Amino acid sequence: MAGGKTTPMIRENLAGKRIAITGSTGFLGTALVERLLRQIPDCHLVLIVRPGRRGAEQRIRREILKNDAFDRLRELHGEDFDDAMGARFTAVAGDVGRDGLGLDDEGRAALASCDIVIHSAATVSFDSPLDLAVEINLLGPVRIAHTLHELGVSPHLVAVSTCYVAGSRRGDAPEIPVDASPFFVDVDWRTEVEAARQARTDVERQSREPERLVEFRSRARAELGAAGIPALSAKTEQLRNRWVTDQMAERGRARASSLGFPDAYAYTKSLGEKALHESKGDLDVSVVRPSIIESALAEPFPGWIRGFRMAEPIIISYAQGLLREFPGVPEGTVDIIPVDQVVAAIVMVAARGVRPDGIDGSDIVQVASGSVAPLKYAQLVGLAKDWFQEHPLYDNRGQPIAVADFAFPGRGRVQGQLNRAKAVLDRTEKILHRLPLRGEQAQFAASLDERREQVDRALGYVELYGAYAECEALYTLDRLLTDWEGLDAADQEAFAFDPRVMDWEHYVTQVHFPSVIAQGRVKSTPGAKVSNRTERLRGQVLDPKRQLAAFDLENTLIASNVVTSYAWIATRRLPYRHRARFVAQLIAEGPALLALDRRDRSDFLRSFYRRYEHAPVSRIETDAAEMFSDLILTKSFPAAIRRVREHRAAGQRTLLITGALDFVVNPLKPLFDDIISAQLGVQGPAERPVYDGKMTGVPPTGEARYQALADYARANDIDLREAVAYADSSSDLPMLEAVGFPVAVNPETKLAALARKRGWLVEHFAKSPGGPPKYVPLPPRSRS
């Protein structure tokens, strides 16, 4: 519909303007930057971004300009794209979470030169810690207003908020100030800020109470096993910080709920509007309130999205069979709006200037769909069911996943079902973690861990998004539609933001779902899962650029351990009738030895190696050489041996680093450039030396193994970022984390779970099927 040409052209009004933008690295901000650079001639953008590890300009070039949203501009400018874009923006390091925005003199001057400021920075996570949401969403707009006052300038400030500042309500939610609503619970925003900051102090103190630190340490050990004190300490602190974050998020949800909001995001955005209105002074302020922002309808291309928004995790979980029920009102409205319509509305408001004809001189524009083109929850679910029946996702075996007939129960019922499923998985996981599983069996246990995390995510979706799915508010659009009717035809075509055009069946099935599936990187084709990831990781591991390949021994190169080697040597010269009894006694000690090994690998080795006390050095060396051919070789993994040779053939140094004793691994010297192993002290006369059963140094396990590796790399001028490490146990975690290319070989359960989470290469090396069976480590009959 053509308008009445009662307002200036958007391009004409913004041409040549200097426009400051916060939040440009986010989903909405990226789309806004692209739209302005592509459609507004000669405007110059001042992009205020947190510098982080990179400088402000680096972040803009890497995180914004490299996004596929800019493909049209890239095609337009060709090789000149970087220069053309560089001339259109000024990068400013700043942070809306800091007073004065953290600007230096150049940044302050750049902001002071702007005609318009668009504030879109926010913490949009629905489970943000309370104090973080307060600092960014509530105080962010206030800090911008204060900074502009300090600079003595009065640009037009366009603040992006959310429709959900209206709170959890039914019926019409008009474009009025939050405190003008009869449903608003009037609280002092300054008091809320102080309370949130105090809550952080209180929770931090609680996290350091002795009983909680003991709990965190216990959980760290349960996850990492005998990984060594530094790794366990780091994990303990990580768990403490996670607990603090979870507690602050829960406090945010509780405070929001107490005031009638679905979450801390809506709560802090609402008070942020109130605080801005009280702090704006003589600033011209417009507020744009979108509903739930989703993928683009048309601009920069249909389906464009950056990261997962609110609905995507739910859609994927439903398609994967994880969610069969979700709380919601079937007749309720799912108020979503494409990102390009929101961007167009923001640009329009910036171009037309402030229109202070609302209550208390407010200029508030809502961008939503529910009141003029409602998408009902039952309709969305029906479209999802039909679409995924026609385009199913597939499991790892290549079988299509059948989607359920979605039900609409209350939140309590769904949470109960998921909590019961989580409890079953938790119990099963604990049992499996106690078993000495390895390789593919351990991978199965790790898959249960992944399944438990999926249930946790589903439970989180229900808790966080359930209130939105049950929302029955209708956001009125009087101002938005008035602005739309006032535009001329050219602006309406270039900056479309009329939600009445939404054809939900087309948008959901032809635009949004295909984009979600592509973004989700889920299996959408039949056939057994054939991943190129493993081959890609192997290629990286064997790349000639790698400088070092470090190998553990036990269960990495051979299916043996220090107990097996000891049993072979200790029984080598026993009368044959006593050997089985010796081995039986050793097997009886197995549970205690395993428990000590899991608790602390170094303590286990020190304790176990005392059994070599008084053993003759010459006899041990002779027997160890025979053991190499009878036991070590027969239990070796041919693929692992080949891998060592591949690394040597590629010109890389090879290092064996093991807690096994030197006389056990000495026969492997031809295979490696160097060997780092455990050694025992020697005592007695020079002509008949015996071992004293005491280690001459710290066993190369856990953090000591990492230190030995680091020392070796330093001595040989090796960059550990270009090194590969192979190991089988979580006790090897410090070494694996130290290198650029870790490989988990036949991993035990804890390492299998960690490797799966971190995307490490996992190899399953096996013994040669033709080797003689060795059910107990008995040597052949002695002829002496």
Side-chain angles (χ1 to χ4, degrees):
M1 179 188 298
K5 299 185 181 181
T6 59
T7 62
M9 295 282 290
I10 291 175
R11 285 192 179 95
E12 292 178 1
N13 252 27
L14 293 180
K17 300 292 186 186
R18 291 178 64 84
I19 305 172
I21 301 176
T22 68
S24 58
T25 59
F27 172 46
L28 177 63
T30 297
L32 177 61
V33 169
E34 188 276 339
R35 195 74 168 270
L36 289 170
L37 291 177
R38 179 165 52 85
Q39 290 197 307
I40 304 300
D42 302 326
C43 75
H44 188 88
L45 306 184
V46 175
L47 304 181
I48 303 173
V49 300
R50 285 184 289 114
R53 289 177 297 177
R54 303 187 182 101
E57 181 154 355
Q58 272 192 311
R59 283 199 68 194
I60 291 167
R61 292 192 178 277
R62 286 174 177 262
E63 299 177 33
I64 302 178
L65 298 182
K66 286 187 179 296
N67 190 275
D68 58 357
F70 290 82
D71 285 351
R72 291 167 68 174
L73 282 167
R74 243 184 302 276
E75 183 177 351
L76 176 65
H77 293 285
E79 295 181 356
D80 297 328
F81 172 78
D82 288 338
D83 292 338
M85 295 302 100
R88 297 284 307 278
F89 75 85
T90 297
V92 172
D95 184 354
V96 298
R98 296 175 56 190
D99 291 341
L101 307 183
L103 300 176
D104 59 17
D105 289 342
E106 290 185 6
R108 290 168 63 85
L111 178 61
S113 69
C114 290
D115 306 288
I116 300 165
V117 176
I118 301 176
H119 173 50
S120 69
T123 173
V124 297
S125 173
F126 299 116
D127 60 346
S128 293
L130 172 61
D131 58 328
L132 177 63
V134 163
E135 294 294 339
I136 303 298
N137 297 341
L138 195 165
L139 288 177
V142 175
R143 290 189 176 107
I144 290 176
H146 285 171
T147 302
L148 294 174
H149 291 324
E150 290 172 3
L151 294 173
V153 295
S154 299
H156 178 201
L157 173 58
V158 181
V160 180
S161 185
T162 173
C163 283
Y164 291 94
V165 297
S168 301
R169 59 186 292 180
R170 294 181 174 91
D172 288 348
E175 297 161 299
I176 61 175
V178 292
D179 53 354
S181 169
F183 302 104
F184 180 76
V185 179
D186 194 13
V187 294
D188 182 67
W189 59 269
R190 295 175 181 84
T191 302
E192 296 298 299
V193 171
E194 293 174 4
R197 290 170 174 171
Q198 184 61 49
R200 166 67 68 169
T201 300
D202 293 343
V203 171
E204 286 283 356
R205 176 183 51 76
Q206 293 166 13
S207 74
R208 291 170 170 83
E209 292 174 353
E211 60 271 20
R212 284 205 171 87
L213 294 176
V214 169
E215 176 194 347
F216 301 146
R217 183 74 169 186
S218 176
R219 287 169 54 193
R221 185 175 291 280
E223 182 172 337
L224 300 184
I229 292 175
L232 288 173
S233 298
K235 186 64 181 180
T236 300
E237 181 63 7
Q238 181 188 76
L239 291 171
R240 188 195 67 81
N241 285 324
R242 188 182 302 166
W243 183 86
V244 169
T245 299
D246 291 344
Q247 289 294 308
M248 291 303 298
E250 178 56 36
R251 292 190 179 214
R253 287 191 291 268
R255 184 55 177 151
S257 178
S258 74
L259 294 174
F261 295 98
D263 55 31
Y265 172 67
Y267 152 64
T268 52
K269 276 291 192 178
S270 176
L271 290 186
E273 282 193 27
K274 184 173 186 287
L276 176 60
H277 181 70
E278 293 179 10
S279 307
K280 68 177 183 177
D282 60 355
L283 283 177
D284 288 337
V285 174
S286 302
V287 175
V288 177
R289 294 175 181 165
S291 58
I292 300 170
I293 307 176
E294 290 293 350
S295 63
L297 176 64
E299 301 279 352
F301 56 82
W304 178 81
I305 194 169
R306 181 169 187 175
F308 271 9
R309 314 318 308 161
M310 176 176 165
E312 287 71 42
I314 300 170
I315 293 169
I316 294 291
S317 295
Y318 173 64
Q320 291 177 325
L322 183 61
L323 272 183
R324 294 179 176 271
E325 294 182 325
F326 198 82
V329 179
E331 301 83 4
T333 298
V334 184
D335 205 316
I336 61 178
I337 192 77
V339 64
D340 46 339
Q341 292 207 349
V342 179
V343 166
I346 292 171
V347 173
M348 177 275 298
V349 170
R352 69 151 164 79
V354 70
R355 197 180 68 192
D357 55 359
I359 296 176
D360 293 334
S362 63
D363 180 18
I364 299 171
V365 176
Q366 294 182 161
V367 192
S369 61
S371 62
V372 293
L375 170 62
K376 298 299 182 179
Y377 192 28
Q379 180 188 3
L380 176 61
V381 171
L383 291 172
K385 179 183 177 183
D386 293 344
W387 197 85
F388 285 110
Q389 283 179 337
E390 185 176 350
H391 309 90
L393 300 186
Y394 294 83
D395 60 25
N396 289 344
R397 296 169 296 175
Q399 299 302 308
I401 300 171
V403 290
D405 290 325
F406 216 61
F408 302 94
R411 259 186 287 176
R413 174 177 160 183
V414 180
Q415 288 172 328
Q417 292 173 346
L418 291 172
N419 278 322
R420 286 191 292 273
K422 181 175 180 291
V424 171
L425 289 169
D426 283 342
R427 288 194 296 270
T428 305
E429 186 182 18
K430 286 180 181 177
I431 293 171
L432 291 176
H433 273 255
R434 292 192 184 104
L435 299 176
L437 304 179
R438 287 198 170 275
E440 294 182 356
Q441 292 175 324
Q443 288 294 103
F444 170 72
S447 70
L448 286 183
D449 181 66
E450 183 176 354
R451 183 69 175 177
R452 181 180 56 79
E453 289 184 350
Q454 289 176 337
V455 172
D456 280 338
R457 285 198 298 271
L459 190 59
Y461 302 153
V462 171
E463 292 173 347
L464 294 174
Y465 305 144
Y468 285 89
E470 294 171 346
C471 182
E472 296 182 77
L474 294 176
Y475 306 107
T476 61
L477 309 178
D478 297 343
R479 286 170 168 269
L480 181 82
L481 297 180
T482 298
D483 283 325
W484 172 256
E485 300 297 344
L487 293 179
D488 67 11
D491 275 353
Q492 287 188 347
E493 182 178 358
F495 300 95
F497 56 81
D498 183 0
R500 293 171 295 186
V501 304
M502 292 303 301
D503 176 346
W504 291 116
E505 181 174 357
H506 169 78
Y507 172 78
V508 169
T509 63
Q510 303 301 313
V511 178
H512 190 60
F513 281 174
S515 175
V516 168
I517 296 306
Q519 284 281 322
R521 298 179 181 178
V522 291
K523 184 169 172 50
S524 57
T525 55
K529 187 173 182 180
V530 179
S531 174
N532 292 325
R533 181 175 161 275
T534 297
E535 288 305 317
R536 174 175 56 82
L537 290 174
R538 281 197 191 116
Q540 294 174 354
V541 161
L542 293 168
D543 191 301
K545 295 177 183 177
R546 306 292 87 81
Q547 299 174 15
L548 170 69
F551 289 82
D552 181 26
L553 178 66
E554 298 174 3
N555 297 303
T556 301
L557 297 176
I558 61 171
S560 185
N561 53 56
V562 299
V563 177
T564 304
S565 301
Y566 168 76
W568 196 101
I569 291 174
T571 59
R572 174 68 183 88
R573 297 174 187 274
L574 280 179
Y576 205 73
R577 65 182 178 275
H578 297 313
R579 294 180 181 182
R581 183 186 307 164
F582 178 93
V583 172
Q585 291 173 344
L586 194 58
I587 291 174
E589 294 183 71
L593 294 174
L594 181 61
L596 178 58
D597 188 18
R598 286 181 168 178
R599 190 161 57 248
D600 192 297
R601 178 70 172 170
S602 295
D603 286 350
F604 164 74
L605 292 179
R606 287 192 183 95
S607 174
F608 192 79
Y609 285 160
R610 292 193 184 102
R611 300 173 189 232
Y612 283 97
E613 187 177 5
H614 305 309
V617 173
S618 60
R619 182 177 291 182
I620 291 292
E621 289 178 348
T622 300
D623 291 347
E626 185 177 347
M627 180 182 66
F628 179 72
S629 59
D630 182 68
L631 181 69
I632 303 298
L633 285 182
T634 60
K635 287 183 170 288
S636 66
F637 303 139
I641 303 302
R642 286 195 298 270
R643 182 63 60 84
V644 178
R645 290 173 174 155
E646 286 180 284
H647 281 291
R648 295 198 77 173
Q652 298 154 10
R653 294 184 73 93
T654 55
L655 171 68
L656 176 63
I657 181 167
T658 174
L661 290 166
D662 54 354
F663 53 74
V664 173
V665 298
N666 280 342
L668 291 170
K669 282 184 176 179
L671 193 60
F672 293 92
D673 291 298
D674 294 288
I675 294 178
I676 298 174
S677 60
Q679 294 180 330
L680 294 177
V682 175
Q683 62 185 9
E687 64 275 12
R688 290 190 308 276
V690 295
Y691 289 113
D692 63 6
K694 299 175 182 177
M695 301 184 69
T696 59
V698 178
T701 62
E703 64 270 25
R705 179 169 295 185
Y706 153 73
Q707 192 59 56
L709 176 66
D711 292 343
Y712 180 88
R714 192 178 304 109
N716 291 277
D717 195 26
I718 290 170
D719 183 354
L720 286 180
R721 291 173 298 182
E722 293 295 339
V724 185
Y726 294 81
D728 71 297
S729 170
S730 61
S731 65
D732 301 308
L733 199 58
M735 178 177 75
L736 291 169
E737 291 180 327
V739 300
F741 302 89
V743 183
V745 180
N746 302 332
E748 45 82 39
T749 305
K750 288 183 174 64
L751 183 60
L754 288 168
R756 193 183 188 105
K757 289 178 183 177
R758 300 183 186 186
W760 292 351
L761 175 62
V762 176
E763 297 284 18
H764 299 292
F765 295 151
K767 294 186 296 182
S768 174
K774 283 278 184 181
Y775 300 109
V776 291
L778 291 177
R781 289 179 182 268
S782 173
R783 294 185 295 273
S784 57

